[in-house]
Amino acid sequence: MIETGWRTPDWRGSGFRMSRCVLPIAFLPAMLAAQDLPQFHSTSQLVIEHVTVTDRNGRPVEGLRAEDFIIAENGAPQTIRLFEFQKLEDVPLPALHEPGVLTAGAQPAATIAPPKPGEIRYRNRRLLVLYFDVTTMGTAERLRAFDSAVKFITTQITASDLVAIMAFSQGYVKVHQDFTDDRDTLLAAINRMIAISEDLEQDTSQNTSGFGQGEGEFNLFNSDRQLSALQTAFAMLGRLTERKSVIYFASGLRLSGVDNQAQLRATLNSAIRSNVVLFPIDARGLVAEAPMGDASLPSQGGIGMYNGTVALTMAGSFQRTQDALYALAADTGGKAIFDYNDLSLGIVQAQKSVSNYYILGYYTTNAAQDGKWRKIEIALKEFPSAKLDYRHGYFGPKEFRSFNAADRERQLEEALMLEDPITELTIAMEVNWFQLNRAEYYVPVVMKIPGSELALARKGGAERTRVDFIGEIRDEYNTTVANIRDKVEIEMSGATAAELTKRHIQYDTGYTMLPGSYSIKVLARDNQTGRIGTFLSKFTIPNLNLVTDRIPISSVVLSSQRINLKEALYTAGRDKEQIANPLVQDGLKMIPSVTRVFNRAGDMYIYLQAYEQSAAPPSPLAAFVTFYRGGTKAFETPPMVVTERLNNGLRTMPLKFSVVTDKLTPGRYVAQVTVLDPKARKAAFWQAPLLVVP
């Protein structure tokens, strides 16, 4: 027999195992002889149930076998294929004296390590996850949460406990420590988080405007991000078969609309599918607030100060921040802890809630991937007086093609917050900058996807698809300064489909920004197949007003094509953003060659700007382009004297070159742009590698 492969669930999966597809060995010669090897796929969903069985006195019942259980899904009997008993011994460990010096410890794990197919990795162990929502907690609350975690690890942990540490901060869900019982390692992870607490300050970027730069089709509120981050964490934990308890430290969670309710339901469904029980802890502890707020808030004023309206409103607002935490606990089978300054009580509560239990697994006979609720009933053939505690149902998996608009938006939200990027699609990106005035710079952002990446959608029979883009730009303080949310509609029929295999899908947009260091993260998704690609990069916009020892110049753009703005196959930039774009001239747009690969049969266009705001009067500039190959000059353009200036306060001088690349033999080159000011005795140089192909 041969196996065609094994599929394991990823972060977007339903939390179910996928079975092998096995073929008789007799088919092998015929398969090898065929030009296109046939592929056979068979998918089975392994549903995992955790069942706690107690007698009439509440004592755990041990010694049961798989044949003692009866299990049905939507009334249809199911055959138990996986059976395991987890026996947890609550043997306390001796108190551990915390080291007096904070140590960095090992580097944090990138993710929760998944088990091998069919493996129960943590047999007879209790899995506890300490999850810190840093975006909601102030400094005092954060330290209180860390102190409670240290107290639990040093004095309250048992021999059966394995602890993992996760945090949501700076827009990402981070795994600081995978499951371990090494208390020194856990303390080192927490101490590391304390030591870098300045980087874990409240993320003010969560209060920025919605994605889309004013478009109403997408908005990401702060509570949406908190819930989406939890959903991402649940998906990571769903790879493990065992029951998981997540102790969620947060300073409240307030829902503010219908969209939040939808995300709340999606988060709860993810917890159910992943066999996760949530134990929220209000890190604010026991709060005693002034009736009308403390000195950090301005006076409300008005008659409400005297009739109690303001005080009632503040008390109700505080209560609503705890209501969502209570709902998360109740709907996942956990319990919330409020108004306690000793937060370690919540961890102990989660610890004691998990006792001996049975793991039952079955391959469901319901193959539909419709995302509907499936009711589960479990009973014992004997012991009618026994009490069974288990999950009474789950939402079935859903194919991407069955996703509704809200599902697809949530998928992009989750992917954006993943620290481990998804790279199913190939993306290239280029960020340039041009000075507009003494303070601001125009930053065009160009993304390119090979048209061949959409071949799967074309093979699936789709005549058109859409590529969704989502992303954000953050400054050096991790504050979101710009958002990206857009789409490109792609025709995949007739002549357009033939061109896709040879051309690229290009998206561009632009922003007005200040000098500084930035990071950009952009995701692109084929809306037909659901495949996602990610591009991460850092860039710096220099303050050219401070440049005095050389000629201030912009970034340099290399291009092999200039196209009409209406050419949708190549660009999807919005018209309102093209006004300030210096790459748009006379109704044509210069398309940056993101990959810097040029065909020998075409032309190469080079564009940059020089600024002479300090020159009085400004003098002409001389510029030329040199191509080096292996350290040897291969070609150089004649010097070009530039006297034309734009009518602005910067006295901007545009420099345009057109190089016939047939003078370059195929191979790798380094292009150098040289700009000279003979009168001021200044110069500027720029270099970049490129490739010339036949």
Side-chain angles (χ1 to χ4, degrees):
M1 307 292 282
I2 60 171
E3 298 175 3
T4 62
W6 179 280
R7 295 181 58 193
T8 55
D10 57 11
W11 67 273
R12 293 171 299 159
S14 59
F16 305 113
R17 303 285 183 189
M18 314 301 260
S19 69
R20 288 184 175 91
C21 174
V22 183
L23 300 175
I25 196 69
F27 288 131
L28 185 59
M31 293 173 61
L32 295 177
Q35 182 176 0
D36 296 323
L37 298 180
Q39 296 182 359
F40 299 88
H41 299 281
S42 176
T43 301
S44 298
Q45 302 165 8
L46 178 60
V47 183
I48 303 296
E49 279 287 336
H50 300 147
V51 184
T52 301
V53 184
T54 55
D55 60 18
R56 64 181 64 189
N57 297 319
R59 294 188 297 265
V61 176
E62 302 181 12
L64 297 177
R65 299 172 298 175
E67 50 267 27
D68 294 326
F69 289 87
I70 301 174
I71 187 167
E73 181 181 298
N74 287 343
Q78 306 293 324
T79 302
I80 297 175
R81 300 294 187 185
L82 174 65
F83 184 83
E84 183 80 16
F85 178 63
Q86 296 284 73
K87 185 176 179 62
L88 304 178
E89 300 289 347
D90 290 328
V91 178
L93 296 177
L96 177 69
H97 296 288
E98 183 191 4
V101 180
L102 302 183
T103 57
Q107 293 297 319
T111 185
I112 299 295
K116 297 178 181 178
E119 175 191 18
I120 297 179
R121 167 170 292 183
Y122 303 117
R123 183 171 281 103
N124 299 328
R125 305 305 293 267
R126 181 187 292 111
L127 303 185
L128 303 175
V129 181
L130 305 181
Y131 181 101
F132 300 91
D133 190 344
V134 179
T135 63
T136 66
M137 294 189 287
T139 302
E141 298 155 2
R142 188 169 60 250
L143 293 178
R144 184 184 297 117
F146 291 153
D147 287 343
S148 67
V150 170
K151 178 181 178 181
F152 173 79
I153 294 170
T154 55
T155 64
Q156 297 167 318
I157 196 170
T158 70
S160 297
D161 296 335
L162 290 176
V163 179
I165 299 176
M166 306 175 72
F168 173 49
S169 64
Q170 303 177 350
Y172 300 101
V173 178
K174 300 180 181 179
V175 179
H176 289 268
Q177 179 57 53
D178 199 354
F179 287 104
T180 182
D181 57 1
D182 187 331
R183 291 189 283 177
D184 289 332
T185 300
L186 292 170
L187 289 176
I190 294 177
N191 287 337
R192 182 171 51 246
M193 297 173 70
I194 297 174
I196 60 172
S197 59
E198 64 272 12
D199 295 331
L200 300 176
E201 289 294 339
Q202 183 172 346
D203 191 353
T204 57
S205 66
Q206 312 300 334
N207 299 320
T208 57
S209 60
F211 279 81
Q213 299 299 302
E215 295 184 3
E217 65 174 334
F218 186 85
N219 205 348
L220 199 58
F221 295 102
N222 184 27
S223 52
D224 278 331
R225 282 202 164 187
Q226 292 175 252
L227 292 170
S228 294
L230 272 176
Q231 186 174 350
T232 301
F234 295 160
M236 292 181 184
L237 297 170
R239 303 167 181 172
L240 300 174
T241 303
E242 299 83 355
R243 176 178 175 176
K244 287 79 59 178
S245 298
V246 174
I247 298 91
Y248 175 44
F249 293 94
S251 295
L253 175 64
R254 180 174 179 176
L255 303 186
S256 58
V258 176
D259 291 338
N260 300 110
Q261 296 295 332
Q263 181 59 59
L264 175 62
R265 175 173 295 184
T267 303
L268 291 172
N269 293 343
S270 177
I272 293 173
R273 288 195 302 268
S274 302
N275 293 305
V276 169
V277 180
L278 195 64
F279 293 85
I281 299 178
D282 191 339
R284 293 171 293 190
L286 181 60
V287 177
E289 289 187 337
M292 288 181 290
D294 55 27
S296 65
L297 300 174
S299 174
Q300 298 289 330
I303 191 65
M305 296 177 59
Y306 305 99
N307 61 14
T309 302
V310 173
L312 288 174
T313 300
M314 293 192 64
S317 177
F318 181 85
Q319 182 65 42
R320 284 192 293 273
T321 64
Q322 293 184 336
D323 288 344
L325 296 179
Y326 180 84
L328 286 170
D331 291 346
T332 60
K335 185 177 181 180
I337 182 169
F338 304 141
D339 303 329
Y340 281 92
N341 288 330
D342 186 0
L343 305 185
S344 65
L345 294 177
I347 309 177
V348 174
Q349 183 175 260
Q351 178 192 54
K352 293 183 177 180
S353 69
V354 182
S355 58
N356 301 344
Y357 64 94
Y358 294 89
I359 299 178
L360 278 63
Y362 66 91
Y363 290 99
T364 176
T365 57
N366 187 350
Q369 300 202 12
D370 50 13
K372 294 183 178 180
W373 176 259
R374 301 177 182 182
K375 183 180 179 181
I376 295 178
E377 296 175 306
I378 302 177
L380 290 173
K381 295 179 181 178
E382 301 179 4
F383 309 107
S385 61
K387 179 183 178 181
L388 277 65
D389 184 15
Y390 61 93
R391 177 186 60 167
H392 291 272
Y394 69 98
F395 287 91
K398 183 186 289 188
E399 293 180 318
F400 181 79
R401 66 184 65 182
S402 301
F403 281 14
N404 55 32
D407 292 333
R408 299 191 179 204
E409 291 298 336
R410 278 193 292 271
Q411 184 201 39
L412 282 177
E413 296 172 30
E414 296 167 24
L416 183 63
M417 286 186 288
L418 279 177
E419 190 176 14
D420 185 20
I422 305 170
T423 55
E424 298 167 338
L425 284 181
T426 301
I427 301 179
M429 179 189 295
E430 182 173 323
V431 180
N432 295 293
W433 45 266
F434 299 89
Q435 191 171 13
L436 295 176
N437 50 54
R438 297 281 297 182
E440 298 175 316
Y441 293 73
Y442 181 77
V443 180
V445 179
V446 182
M447 285 158 275
K448 183 178 290 187
I449 302 175
S452 58
E453 292 283 1
L454 305 181
L456 287 179
R458 175 61 179 163
K459 290 181 180 179
E463 295 186 356
R464 63 184 300 114
T465 189
R466 189 179 80 191
V467 179
D468 288 310
F469 293 93
I470 185 173
E472 57 187 5
I473 301 175
R474 293 175 176 246
D475 62 14
E476 56 188 321
Y477 304 105
N478 205 44
T479 300
T480 301
V481 297
N483 295 312
I484 300 170
R485 184 66 180 97
D486 213 335
K487 58 182 180 293
V488 180
E489 299 287 346
I490 306 296
E491 293 282 351
M492 295 191 297
S493 59
T496 305
E499 290 186 29
L500 279 177
T501 59
K502 298 178 290 186
R503 302 209 181 249
H504 304 291
I505 306 302
Q506 188 139 338
Y507 168 81
D508 69 273
T509 186
Y511 303 93
T512 300
M513 302 175 65
L514 301 176
S517 298
Y518 300 91
S519 62
I520 183 171
K521 180 178 183 179
V522 179
L523 280 72
R525 179 186 64 192
D526 181 354
N527 210 35
Q528 190 67 30
T529 62
R531 299 169 69 224
I532 294 177
T534 307
F535 193 95
L536 292 166
S537 183
K538 293 184 178 181
F539 64 95
T540 300
I541 303 175
N543 188 349
L544 296 182
N545 299 324
L546 304 179
V547 176
T548 58
D549 58 340
R550 56 182 173 82
I551 302 174
I553 62 172
S554 67
S555 56
V556 180
V557 176
L558 304 182
S559 173
S560 61
Q561 53 184 330
R562 291 182 294 183
I563 63 171
N564 192 290
L565 284 175
K566 299 180 181 179
E567 197 66 55
L569 178 62
Y570 304 100
T571 180
R574 295 183 286 275
D575 293 339
K576 64 182 180 181
E577 295 172 345
Q578 309 304 324
I579 299 176
N581 193 344
L583 302 181
V584 177
Q585 299 173 4
D586 301 325
L588 297 177
K589 175 183 287 186
M590 177 182 291
I591 304 300
S593 177
V594 179
T595 55
R596 291 177 180 164
V597 177
F598 298 88
N599 194 304
R600 192 166 181 260
D603 293 334
M604 180 189 304
Y605 306 102
I606 303 174
Y607 180 82
L608 69 154
Q609 292 180 350
Y611 310 98
E612 291 191 305
Q613 59 263 43
S614 61
S619 58
L621 299 180
F624 55 91
V625 182
T626 309
F627 296 88
Y628 295 94
R629 187 173 187 181
T632 303
K633 182 190 297 185
F635 176 73
E636 186 173 86
T637 64
M640 175 180 62
V641 179
V642 182
T643 58
E644 176 189 2
R645 300 177 182 84
L646 300 182
N647 188 20
N648 58 22
L650 300 176
R651 299 173 179 174
T652 303
M653 304 185 73
L655 307 177
K656 310 173 188 177
F657 298 90
S658 180
V659 179
V660 180
T661 53
D662 62 0
K663 298 180 180 180
L664 301 173
T665 59
R668 298 184 179 275
Y669 293 86
V670 173
Q672 175 176 296
V673 177
T674 303
V675 184
L676 303 174
D677 184 347
K679 182 177 180 181
R681 297 179 179 272
K682 293 182 179 180
F685 303 93
W686 175 92
Q687 284 188 342
L690 57 87
L691 176 65
V692 176
V693 296

